[in-house]
PDB file of all heavy atoms in Angstrom:
ATOM      1  N   ALA A 154    -123.832 264.425 -71.913  1.00  0.00           N
ATOM      2  CA  ALA A 154    -124.480 263.093 -72.028  1.00  0.00           C
ATOM      3  C   ALA A 154    -125.811 263.088 -71.317  1.00  0.00           C
ATOM      4  O   ALA A 154    -126.800 262.532 -71.830  1.00  0.00           O
ATOM      5  CB  ALA A 154    -123.562 262.021 -71.462  1.00  0.00           C
ATOM      6  N   GLU A 155    -125.887 263.703 -70.143  1.00  0.00           N
ATOM      7  CA  GLU A 155    -127.162 263.765 -69.405  1.00  0.00           C
ATOM      8  C   GLU A 155    -128.193 264.602 -70.165  1.00  0.00           C
ATOM      9  O   GLU A 155    -129.364 264.242 -70.241  1.00  0.00           O
ATOM     10  CB  GLU A 155    -126.939 264.330 -68.007  1.00  0.00           C
ATOM     11  CG  GLU A 155    -126.240 263.392 -67.069  1.00  0.00           C
ATOM     12  CD  GLU A 155    -125.922 264.044 -65.737  1.00  0.00           C
ATOM     13  OE1 GLU A 155    -125.513 265.221 -65.719  1.00  0.00           O
ATOM     14  OE2 GLU A 155    -126.055 263.330 -64.718  1.00  0.00           O
ATOM     15  N   LEU A 156    -127.764 265.739 -70.716  1.00  0.00           N
ATOM     16  CA  LEU A 156    -128.706 266.583 -71.486  1.00  0.00           C
ATOM     17  C   LEU A 156    -129.210 265.851 -72.729  1.00  0.00           C
ATOM     18  O   LEU A 156    -130.394 265.942 -73.068  1.00  0.00           O
ATOM     19  CB  LEU A 156    -128.043 267.889 -71.862  1.00  0.00           C
ATOM     20  CG  LEU A 156    -127.674 268.832 -70.685  1.00  0.00           C
ATOM     21  CD1 LEU A 156    -126.926 270.051 -71.200  1.00  0.00           C
ATOM     22  CD2 LEU A 156    -128.904 269.236 -69.899  1.00  0.00           C
ATOM     23  N   ASN A 157    -128.341 265.091 -73.373  1.00  0.00           N
ATOM     24  CA  ASN A 157    -128.762 264.305 -74.540  1.00  0.00           C
ATOM     25  C   ASN A 157    -129.756 263.214 -74.117  1.00  0.00           C
ATOM     26  O   ASN A 157    -130.729 262.957 -74.838  1.00  0.00           O
ATOM     27  CB  ASN A 157    -127.557 263.686 -75.250  1.00  0.00           C
ATOM     28  CG  ASN A 157    -126.739 264.720 -75.974  1.00  0.00           C
ATOM     29  OD1 ASN A 157    -127.191 265.788 -76.301  1.00  0.00           O
ATOM     30  ND2 ASN A 157    -125.462 264.401 -76.206  1.00  0.00           N
ATOM     31  N   THR A 158    -129.511 262.624 -72.954  1.00  0.00           N
ATOM     32  CA  THR A 158    -130.441 261.611 -72.436  1.00  0.00           C
ATOM     33  C   THR A 158    -131.798 262.255 -72.153  1.00  0.00           C
ATOM     34  O   THR A 158    -132.830 261.658 -72.476  1.00  0.00           O
ATOM     35  CB  THR A 158    -129.849 260.997 -71.153  1.00  0.00           C
ATOM     36  OG1 THR A 158    -128.633 260.339 -71.488  1.00  0.00           O
ATOM     37  CG2 THR A 158    -130.824 260.012 -70.507  1.00  0.00           C
ATOM     38  N   LEU A 159    -131.822 263.444 -71.567  1.00  0.00           N
ATOM     39  CA  LEU A 159    -133.084 264.113 -71.296  1.00  0.00           C
ATOM     40  C   LEU A 159    -133.824 264.419 -72.577  1.00  0.00           C
ATOM     41  O   LEU A 159    -135.071 264.325 -72.625  1.00  0.00           O
ATOM     42  CB  LEU A 159    -132.855 265.383 -70.471  1.00  0.00           C
ATOM     43  CG  LEU A 159    -132.322 265.174 -69.059  1.00  0.00           C
ATOM     44  CD1 LEU A 159    -132.203 266.503 -68.336  1.00  0.00           C
ATOM     45  CD2 LEU A 159    -133.188 264.222 -68.267  1.00  0.00           C
ATOM     46  N   MET A 160    -133.098 264.790 -73.621  1.00  0.00           N
ATOM     47  CA  MET A 160    -133.748 265.057 -74.913  1.00  0.00           C
ATOM     48  C   MET A 160    -134.385 263.762 -75.472  1.00  0.00           C
ATOM     49  O   MET A 160    -135.480 263.780 -76.019  1.00  0.00           O
ATOM     50  CB  MET A 160    -132.768 265.629 -75.921  1.00  0.00           C
ATOM     51  CG  MET A 160    -132.551 267.122 -75.776  1.00  0.00           C
ATOM     52  SD  MET A 160    -134.083 268.086 -75.930  1.00  0.00           S
ATOM     53  CE  MET A 160    -134.464 267.907 -77.682  1.00  0.00           C
ATOM     54  N   ALA A 161    -133.664 262.648 -75.335  1.00  0.00           N
ATOM     55  CA  ALA A 161    -134.199 261.365 -75.794  1.00  0.00           C
ATOM     56  C   ALA A 161    -135.463 260.994 -75.047  1.00  0.00           C
ATOM     57  O   ALA A 161    -136.451 260.560 -75.634  1.00  0.00           O
ATOM     58  CB  ALA A 161    -133.156 260.267 -75.669  1.00  0.00           C
ATOM     59  N   ILE A 162    -135.432 261.195 -73.718  1.00  0.00           N
ATOM     60  CA  ILE A 162    -136.621 260.900 -72.908  1.00  0.00           C
ATOM     61  C   ILE A 162    -137.759 261.852 -73.227  1.00  0.00           C
ATOM     62  O   ILE A 162    -138.925 261.424 -73.315  1.00  0.00           O
ATOM     63  CB  ILE A 162    -136.228 260.945 -71.405  1.00  0.00           C
ATOM     64  CG1 ILE A 162    -135.269 259.790 -71.085  1.00  0.00           C
ATOM     65  CG2 ILE A 162    -137.469 260.872 -70.518  1.00  0.00           C
ATOM     66  CD1 ILE A 162    -134.648 259.875 -69.709  1.00  0.00           C
ATOM     67  N   ALA A 163    -137.449 263.127 -73.418  1.00  0.00           N
ATOM     68  CA  ALA A 163    -138.489 264.083 -73.787  1.00  0.00           C
ATOM     69  C   ALA A 163    -139.109 263.718 -75.129  1.00  0.00           C
ATOM     70  O   ALA A 163    -140.339 263.862 -75.311  1.00  0.00           O
ATOM     71  CB  ALA A 163    -137.896 265.497 -73.851  1.00  0.00           C
ATOM     72  N   SER A 164    -138.330 263.192 -76.075  1.00  0.00           N
ATOM     73  CA  SER A 164    -138.897 262.779 -77.347  1.00  0.00           C
ATOM     74  C   SER A 164    -139.844 261.586 -77.176  1.00  0.00           C
ATOM     75  O   SER A 164    -140.856 261.477 -77.872  1.00  0.00           O
ATOM     76  CB  SER A 164    -137.828 262.489 -78.391  1.00  0.00           C
ATOM     77  OG  SER A 164    -137.210 261.231 -78.138  1.00  0.00           O
ATOM     78  N   LEU A 165    -139.563 260.695 -76.213  1.00  0.00           N
ATOM     79  CA  LEU A 165    -140.459 259.607 -75.922  1.00  0.00           C
ATOM     80  C   LEU A 165    -141.780 260.096 -75.339  1.00  0.00           C
ATOM     81  O   LEU A 165    -142.856 259.653 -75.724  1.00  0.00           O
ATOM     82  CB  LEU A 165    -139.798 258.611 -74.939  1.00  0.00           C
ATOM     83  CG  LEU A 165    -138.563 257.885 -75.449  1.00  0.00           C
ATOM     84  CD1 LEU A 165    -137.861 257.128 -74.326  1.00  0.00           C
ATOM     85  CD2 LEU A 165    -138.952 256.937 -76.578  1.00  0.00           C
ATOM     86  N   PHE A 166    -141.699 261.084 -74.428  1.00  0.00           N
ATOM     87  CA  PHE A 166    -142.916 261.691 -73.887  1.00  0.00           C
ATOM     88  C   PHE A 166    -143.687 262.438 -74.971  1.00  0.00           C
ATOM     89  O   PHE A 166    -144.916 262.466 -74.967  1.00  0.00           O
ATOM     90  CB  PHE A 166    -142.590 262.622 -72.728  1.00  0.00           C
ATOM     91  CG  PHE A 166    -142.450 261.926 -71.390  1.00  0.00           C
ATOM     92  CD1 PHE A 166    -141.220 261.785 -70.799  1.00  0.00           C
ATOM     93  CD2 PHE A 166    -143.580 261.437 -70.734  1.00  0.00           C
ATOM     94  CE1 PHE A 166    -141.092 261.150 -69.565  1.00  0.00           C
ATOM     95  CE2 PHE A 166    -143.477 260.805 -69.515  1.00  0.00           C
ATOM     96  CZ  PHE A 166    -142.233 260.642 -68.934  1.00  0.00           C
ATOM     97  N   ALA A 167    -142.981 263.051 -75.939  1.00  0.00           N
ATOM     98  CA  ALA A 167    -143.642 263.766 -77.027  1.00  0.00           C
ATOM     99  C   ALA A 167    -144.427 262.750 -77.920  1.00  0.00           C
ATOM    100  O   ALA A 167    -145.512 263.052 -78.399  1.00  0.00           O
ATOM    101  CB  ALA A 167    -142.650 264.545 -77.850  1.00  0.00           C
TER     102      ALA A 167
END
Side-chain angles (χ1 to χ4, degrees):
E155 288 175 320
L156 294 176
N157 289 339
T158 297
L159 294 183
M160 279 302 291
I162 293 170
S164 76
L165 294 170
F166 275 108

